[in-house]
Amino acid sequence: MAVVDLEPSAFSTSGKLISAQGTINVPDRWSKIMKLKTDFLQNKIKDPRNCSTIDPELAASWIRSRDYGVSPFIVGRMIKKQMERSLFQCFLAKQRSLLEITRNVIDEYKGMMLFADYGVILFDPQGLVLIQEDAWLKSSPFDKKEVRQSMVGKYMDEENAGTHAHSLSVNQKRPIQLLGHEHYSIAYSDTIASAVPITDEDGAVIAVLTLITPLVNGSRWENDFIGLTNYSKDLVVTMAHRIQALLSLEYSRNELNAYKNRLQVKAEALMAALDVADDAVVIIDEKGRFIDINHKAMHTFKLSDKPLAMTDLSQFMNDNTVMNLAGKGRSAEMREALHIGNKTHSYLVSIRPVMDEYTGLLNSAVLRFRSMAADKLRIVEHSPIPAVKDFNAVIGKSKEIKGAIKMARLFADCNENVLLVGESGTGKELFAQAIHAIYASAGPFVAINCAAMPRELIESELFGYEGGSFTGADRIGRQGKIELANGGTLFLDEIGDMPLKLQAVLLRTLEDKQVMRVGGLKTKKVDFRLIAATNRDLKQLVREKLFREDLYYRLSVLPIQLPPLRKRKNDILLLCEHFITEACQKRGREIVSLAPAASRLLVEYSWPGNIRELKNAMTYAVNISAKQFIELDDLPVSIRAGTLDKMY
C-alpha cells in the first residue's frame, strides 16, 4: 500500500504556530487571520494570496470557494448535494474493505478521541462523507444528532462547502491542518481539523481521514493550544498508518486467495477433462501450449514419443479461431481441420475456457476433439454474439436519458442483477450491452427474447439439453444460453413473458449459480451476471399471479427506467440526424437534411414505437426522397396522419 509522508512534520499548517525563532504569539496570530478573513468576506481584500498571514494555497482555496458562490455561513445540514440513496448503498458496497477497516480503527482509538474531545470523518476524494463519528463531541457546529446523521452521503467538497482540510489534503496529496478561521465557513471558526490522505497501491488518493475538535475561546491558547494541534497531528497520523497497514494486509490476503483460486481452476479443468475422457481431450495454457492430454489424444495426435512441452495447438491448425474464442471466454463447438502427419482430418472441436477469476484473462482451456468422419455429426454452432456497444452509442442530450446513463454506469460496476424497464424500442438491449462492456467486456454477452421464443423451446434454449433427451435433439446435446453466458452477461429481454414454471427454475439458478440441462442428472456451476428487461408492469403481473414475487425482487435489485421517446423531445432531431446519416451512407448518397415542416411534425409525433419506429421512418424517408431535403410527403403516412391534425 503506497503511503504518503505521514510524519507530523509533513503537515501543512497555514497558521504557522511554530517557527525557527520559537513560538508565535497565538492570540495575535488568531486575530490577524480572523481580520484577514473578515476583510476578504467583505470584499475589502480581493486576493489574499500575497498576504503573509496565511499560506498562498489556502488563500487560493478561499478565492475558489467565493467564486463557487459558497455561503460563508454554510454548515453540514445546509448542504443540498448528496448521492441518491440506492446509488450510495451501491457505492458503499464497493468500498466495503476500506469502511470496515476504518470503523475498526476508529473503535481502537475511540478512547483517545474521547479524552481529547475529537470527532472523526472519512471522506472520499470528491468530498463525499462515508463515515462520521462525532457523537462524543461536547461542542461542535454539528451539535444536533440529526444533523450529524444527515451529513453521511453528502458532498462536502470545496464547491459545496468551501475550504476544508480534507479537500486541500486531496488536492495537495499530503496532510493538512486548518485552524479555526482558516476554514471558509465561519461556522467552523472554533474547530481544528487535521486531515490525512489514504492512498492505493498506485499512490492515488482513495479517501481522507479527518479529525476535528472544537475550541473554546479563551481557554486553549498558548501552550495548551500548541499541545492540542500537535496531539491532533500525532493521533490522525497514527490512525492513518494503522488503516493503510490493514489495507495492505487485506490486499496481500486477496493476492494469496487469487493464487489459490487459480490452482483450484486448474484442478477443475483437469476434472472437466476426465468427464469427457471418451474423446480426445487436450488442456492448453493461455498461449495454446499443451499442458496435459488423455490417452485418446496421445493416439489422435501421435504424440507417444514427443514431450508435451514441445507441443502447441498451432502445429495442428492453420488458423487461430480456437485460441481467439478461448481468449474471450467463449465456449463453442465448431468444425476444424487438423493436420496430423501427412493427412488432414475433420474434427468437431468443443472449447471450454477456464478464465482467471482475478485478472479475467484466459487461464487454460479444455479442448475435446471428436472425429466428424467417425460419427457423422452435424455441426452445432454455440458461439454467442459479442456485445460491441458502449454508452457512447446511446444518442441523446436530454436530462432524462443522461440520468438513465448515469445510473447505468454506476450500476455497471456492481455484480447485482439489473432490471431495465421501458417501452418497446427504447434501447433496452443497447443499455444491456453497454453495461456488459464495462462489467465483463472479456466475457460473452448472450441475449434471449422470452417473448419471441416458443414456450416449448425456451427451457432447452435457456438450460440446454443432454443428447437424445427428446425427439429431434442433437446427439451430442447442446449448451443452454446460461452455460454460454458463463464468465459474462445473460440478457433476458421481455422477462415478463417467461412461463411461471421456468420462473421457478431460473430463480433457483440465480440463487445457487448452478444449472442442470434438460434430461440431465448433474448440475454445473456457472458464473454470470443477469440483466433482465421488460416493457410490462411486473408488479401488476405479480398481483395477477402471472409473475413470481420472489423472482421479481431477485431481478429488481438495481432497476433502471428508460424514458420513452415522447419524453425526450430534445433528442428527436438529434436521433433523426444520426439515422439519416446512417441510411445515406448505406445507399452511398449525399447526406440529406430535414425540411423545417418535417422537423416540426417529427417533434410533435408521439412515437409509440420509440427509437425503433423513428429509425424505420428515417430509413423510409431517405429511400423515398430524391431531394436534398426530406419534406412532409417523404415521411411515412402513419406519422403524418398521427400529427397533422394537431398541427393544423
Side-chain angles (χ1 to χ4, degrees):
M1 178 65 62
V3 182
V4 295
D5 183 5
L6 293 185
E7 296 306 316
S9 59
F11 265 89
S12 170
T13 305
S14 298
K16 300 181 178 67
L17 297 175
I18 304 296
S19 70
Q21 290 75 33
T23 303
I24 294 175
N25 184 281
V26 176
D28 179 61
R29 190 73 181 184
W30 188 272
S31 298
K32 288 182 178 179
I33 294 174
M34 183 169 61
K35 184 178 185 308
L36 176 64
K37 177 71 167 298
T38 302
D39 290 345
F40 174 74
L41 294 178
Q42 293 177 354
N43 289 322
K44 294 179 181 178
I45 296 178
K46 298 292 185 182
D47 190 345
R49 284 176 290 189
N50 296 323
C51 299
S52 61
T53 305
I54 63 170
D55 187 271
E57 291 177 333
L58 175 63
S61 178
W62 282 7
I63 294 172
R64 290 194 299 270
S65 301
R66 180 186 61 191
D67 293 343
Y68 287 139
V70 177
S71 168
F73 304 100
I74 192 78
V75 293
R77 65 178 180 272
M78 297 169 61
I79 295 174
K80 301 298 183 184
K81 184 179 179 182
Q82 61 184 30
M83 186 175 286
E84 196 272 331
R85 185 172 180 179
S86 63
L87 302 185
F88 185 56
Q89 293 302 317
C90 183
F91 182 82
L92 292 180
K94 292 162 57 179
Q95 303 290 333
R96 180 182 58 81
S97 295
L98 171 65
L99 298 179
E100 287 182 357
I101 288 172
T102 302
R103 289 192 180 98
N104 290 337
V105 171
I106 290 173
D107 288 340
E108 289 179 26
Y109 289 88
K110 186 170 288 186
M112 301 179 70
M113 288 187 285
L114 284 167
F115 170 77
D117 197 16
Y118 276 103
V120 61
I121 304 177
L122 184 73
F123 298 90
D124 90 327
Q126 285 70 48
L128 181 67
V129 179
L130 304 178
I131 296 176
Q132 183 175 3
E133 295 284 350
D134 58 3
W136 52 80
L137 286 182
K138 299 173 184 176
S139 172
S140 86
F142 328 114
D143 56 359
K144 295 181 180 179
K145 185 176 181 181
E146 63 269 23
V147 173
R148 291 196 300 271
Q149 292 175 337
S150 68
M151 288 181 62
V152 175
K154 288 190 173 184
Y155 286 93
M156 290 194 66
D157 54 343
E158 196 174 72
E159 187 173 351
N160 290 279
T163 302
H164 279 78
H166 61 271
S167 56
L168 291 174
S169 182
V170 172
N171 292 339
Q172 300 179 32
K173 294 186 69 172
R174 58 173 175 155
I176 295 290
Q177 186 177 71
L178 293 188
L179 311 175
H181 293 286
E182 292 178 333
H183 296 88
Y184 184 76
S185 173
I186 64 175
Y188 304 91
S189 297
D190 292 330
T191 62
I192 294 177
S194 305
V196 175
I198 297 172
T199 59
D200 64 11
E201 294 297 316
D202 299 321
V205 177
I206 60 173
V208 179
L209 186 71
T210 301
L211 289 181
I212 57 172
T213 188
L215 300 173
V216 180
N217 286 332
S219 65
R220 284 181 171 172
W221 297 119
E222 302 296 347
N223 292 334
D224 287 344
F225 190 90
I226 300 299
L228 185 63
T229 59
N230 289 335
Y231 186 81
S232 300
K233 297 175 185 178
D234 293 339
L235 183 55
V236 72
V237 162
T238 302
M239 294 176 69
H241 266 306
R242 178 69 173 153
I243 291 171
Q244 295 209 161
L246 292 173
L247 284 173
S248 294
L249 182 61
E250 179 81 3
Y251 178 80
S252 298
R253 286 200 194 101
N254 291 339
E255 287 277 286
L256 180 60
N257 289 335
Y259 176 73
K260 291 180 179 179
N261 288 337
R262 288 196 290 271
L263 293 179
Q264 180 63 29
V265 167
K266 290 182 179 180
E268 291 176 358
L270 291 173
M271 292 302 295
L274 293 177
D275 288 340
V276 291
D278 289 340
D279 298 310
V281 177
V282 177
I283 302 176
I284 59 173
D285 65 12
E286 74 282 1
K287 294 185 178 179
R289 296 172 297 202
F290 283 26
I291 299 174
D292 203 357
I293 62 176
N294 64 357
H295 291 294
K296 180 72 172 179
M298 290 285 290
H299 175 74
T300 299
F301 289 93
K302 303 186 184 305
L303 296 175
S304 56
D305 299 325
K306 189 174 183 179
L308 289 182
M310 300 174 60
T311 309
D312 65 70
L313 200 60
S314 64
Q315 296 172 13
F316 306 99
M317 293 183 180
N318 290 332
D319 60 55
N320 297 320
T321 303
V322 171
M323 288 306 302
N324 289 338
L325 290 171
K328 295 176 182 178
R330 294 171 58 184
S331 297
E333 289 180 353
M334 65 190 66
R335 186 200 302 267
E336 283 290 333
L338 297 185
H339 308 292
I340 303 171
N342 297 323
K343 296 182 179 180
T344 299
H345 306 272
S346 182
Y347 280 83
L348 182 69
V349 183
S350 299
I351 308 168
R352 295 182 182 178
V354 180
M355 310 306 288
D356 190 306
E357 291 185 5
Y358 182 70
T359 64
L361 301 176
L362 179 68
N363 182 297
S364 58
V366 180
L367 306 180
R368 182 183 68 179
F369 298 85
R370 181 173 293 184
S371 172
M372 295 290 293
D375 288 338
K376 297 180 181 180
L377 296 177
R378 180 174 60 86
I379 300 173
V380 180
E381 179 58 59
H382 285 169
S383 301
I385 299 173
V388 296
K389 304 293 185 182
D390 57 27
F391 284 108
N392 292 326
V394 181
I395 299 171
K397 297 181 179 179
S398 64
K399 65 178 182 179
E400 292 83 3
I401 197 65
K402 282 187 174 181
I405 293 173
K406 180 180 179 181
M407 185 170 291
R409 283 186 184 277
L410 185 61
F411 287 173
D413 285 330
C414 304
N415 60 2
E416 299 290 347
N417 301 328
V418 174
L419 179 63
L420 300 171
V421 182
E423 298 175 4
S424 295
T426 52
K428 296 188 287 294
E429 182 164 356
L430 180 59
F431 265 71
Q433 291 195 19
I435 292 172
H436 166 81
I438 294 176
Y439 176 76
S441 59
F445 177 87
V446 182
I448 183 169
N449 189 316
C450 300
M453 184 65 58
R455 287 178 174 258
E456 61 272 18
L457 295 180
I458 190 170
E459 183 176 8
S460 60
E461 192 71 15
L462 267 180
F463 301 97
Y465 58 86
E466 295 293 347
S469 57
F470 55 87
T471 303
D474 256 350
R475 180 180 174 184
I476 63 172
R478 179 177 294 188
Q479 289 177 301
K481 298 294 187 182
I482 294 177
E483 284 187 63
L484 292 175
N486 190 37
T489 302
L490 176 67
F491 175 57
L492 295 182
D493 200 6
E494 305 305 341
I495 187 71
D497 293 286
M498 176 175 284
L500 274 171
K501 175 186 174 182
L502 288 187
Q503 291 178 26
V505 184
L506 176 62
L507 178 64
R508 187 173 65 248
T509 301
L510 293 176
E511 289 175 345
D512 59 25
K513 292 295 184 179
Q514 295 187 45
V515 64
M516 180 185 293
R517 294 184 182 182
V518 175
L521 299 176
K522 294 190 298 183
T523 60
K524 178 181 179 181
K525 287 186 177 181
V526 287
D527 181 19
F528 65 93
R529 186 188 192 175
L530 177 66
I531 301 178
T534 183
N535 63 358
R536 305 180 68 181
D537 186 345
L538 292 187
K539 287 185 178 180
Q540 181 61 33
L541 293 179
V542 169
R543 288 190 288 268
E544 296 173 359
K545 307 299 183 183
L546 297 175
F547 200 86
R548 292 180 63 100
E549 185 176 21
D550 47 4
L551 179 58
Y552 168 75
Y553 287 113
R554 173 69 68 170
L555 296 176
S556 60
V557 177
L558 302 175
I560 301 174
Q561 186 76 40
L562 300 189
L565 192 54
R566 63 181 174 276
K567 293 185 179 180
R568 298 173 51 193
K569 289 191 177 294
N570 292 339
D571 293 336
I572 290 175
L573 295 182
L574 191 64
L575 287 162
C576 287
E577 180 181 355
H578 171 77
F579 292 132
I580 289 172
T581 301
E582 188 176 78
C584 288
Q585 288 175 345
K586 284 184 179 180
R587 288 198 61 190
R589 63 173 292 185
E590 184 180 355
I591 307 299
V592 298
S593 302
L594 287 168
S599 297
R600 290 196 301 272
L601 184 143
L602 293 170
V603 171
E604 288 296 323
Y605 185 58
S606 60
W607 297 108
N610 292 294
I611 298 174
R612 187 181 296 116
E613 183 183 13
L614 187 146
K615 180 179 180 179
N616 292 342
M618 293 304 98
T619 302
Y620 174 91
V622 168
N623 283 275
I624 289 295
S625 175
K627 308 172 186 176
Q628 288 187 325
F629 292 91
I630 294 175
E631 304 288 351
L632 283 174
D633 292 339
D634 299 322
L635 299 175
V637 175
S638 58
I639 294 177
R640 284 181 280 154
T643 56
L644 286 175
D645 291 342
K646 297 179 181 179
M647 296 177 63
Y648 298 100

